[in-house]
Amino acid sequence: MSSVEPVHVVAFIVVFMSWITVWILAIASILRRPNVTGFERGVWIVVVIVFPFVGPLVWAVWGRTRSGLVPLSPDGSPSR
């Protein structure tokens, strides 16, 4: 039988806690984003929950930037 080294246990705990933190921060970010509609918010939360490893990364790379865009007017300037 092989024994588990303490360094492997510590490494596992650090990686697991980091992943949980990223997961929670992704959900909090989705819930706090004011310009995401209710339907979009629901879809993003489902994506993050169903795909727990890829979902938060997709939100961080694509969702946050896409939901934070300012609509442009026909001349290309921000329409605020």
Side-chain angles (χ1 to χ4, degrees):
M1 281 199 173
S2 66
S3 63
V4 177
E5 304 252 348
V7 70
H8 294 131
V9 173
V10 171
F12 175 78
I13 290 171
V14 167
V15 169
F16 182 75
M17 293 305 291
S18 299
W19 171 73
I20 290 292
T21 301
V22 168
W23 192 75
I24 289 171
L25 289 174
I27 291 177
S29 175
I30 294 167
L31 293 174
R32 291 184 350 187
R33 183 73 61 178
N35 53 348
V36 176
T37 65
F39 177 74
E40 291 176 72
R41 187 171 286 137
V43 169
W44 276 113
I45 288 176
V46 167
V47 167
V48 169
I49 291 172
V50 171
F51 303 104
F53 297 106
V54 179
L57 296 175
V58 171
W59 166 254
V61 171
W62 191 64
R64 288 182 63 190
T65 58
R66 299 291 289 167
S67 64
L69 293 177
V70 175
L72 296 179
S73 63
D75 66 353
S77 63
S79 61
R80 286 197 183 227

